Amino acid sequence: MSDNLGNKQIMAKNIQYYMNQRGKTRQEMCDALGVKYTTFTDWVKGNAYPRIDKIELMANYFGISKADLVEERTAEPNTPKIMTFYEQLNDFGKHEAEKRVEELTFLPQYSNQTSNYEVNAAHADDYMGAPDELKQLEEDIMDDENF
């Protein structure tokens, strides 16, 4: 393990991270670990460091290694910022985030499915640099009485 073993602040931050990720409350954690609420609160606030057996219980509860709790977490260098936020959500939050991202993929201004020219030409009086063919197409549509 790293030199950070025993660092109460790192432990506190990691416990809070995994609680947020899994949508767990302090009371749920206390019940699962068999510790007093005040004891657990001291861990989460970085005022105290849990014994190794409690670290092992927490790691098992979260389905992670003990190192994940005691060592400083660093984001992977190529991890998009959105994934860092996503990992902090509980299951309901993750579901909601996925719905929002899916909705964005259907909006032309956010999707690679439609060129920027098509979106801008349809919504701007000055055509915002759209090709001449697209300008003419829009004018023809606007002049069509049947459209």
Side-chain angles (χ1 to χ4, degrees):
M1 295 200 186
S2 76
D3 295 333
N4 293 327
L5 182 62
N7 187 316
K8 294 183 276 189
Q9 294 303 316
I10 291 170
M11 172 65 79
K13 186 176 172 182
N14 289 339
I15 293 170
Q16 191 64 59
Y17 169 82
Y18 288 107
M19 285 175 60
N20 291 344
Q21 186 184 54
R22 310 261 193 317
K24 300 298 179 187
T25 65
R26 288 185 188 181
Q27 190 58 57
E28 289 172 320
M29 295 297 299
C30 293
D31 294 343
L33 301 173
V35 297
K36 292 182 198 173
Y37 189 88
T38 53
T39 300
F40 187 78
T41 297
D42 281 342
W43 299 345
V44 174
K45 289 184 173 184
N47 296 332
Y49 195 82
R51 294 187 328 238
I52 191 68
D53 62 318
K54 297 302 181 185
I55 294 171
E56 188 167 4
L57 271 176
M58 269 191 284
N60 291 339
Y61 179 77
F62 288 132
I64 58 175
S65 72
K66 292 184 293 255
D68 290 329
L69 287 172
V70 300
E71 295 177 0
E72 190 163 18
R73 296 184 70 253
T74 56
E76 296 296 318
N78 295 326
T79 301
K81 189 174 183 179
I82 192 171
M83 291 308 298
T84 304
F85 292 126
Y86 180 83
E87 290 174 359
Q88 296 175 28
L89 299 172
N90 62 24
D91 289 341
F92 180 75
K94 287 178 180 177
H95 176 73
E96 290 298 307
E98 290 163 4
K99 284 187 346 188
R100 300 300 183 283
V101 170
E102 186 176 11
E103 289 167 1
L104 288 175
T105 63
F106 291 106
L107 297 173
Q109 67 264 37
Y110 301 116
S111 172
N112 288 331
Q113 303 299 320
T114 306
S115 76
N116 195 32
Y117 288 127
E118 292 172 285
V119 173
N120 289 335
H123 299 321
D125 293 333
D126 66 358
Y127 302 102
M128 298 179 78
D132 289 338
E133 304 85 45
L134 192 55
K135 292 177 191 177
Q136 186 59 52
L137 177 62
E138 184 178 24
E139 287 177 22
D140 291 344
I141 291 171
M142 299 303 282
D143 292 337
D144 187 349
E145 293 176 15
N146 297 320
F147 193 80

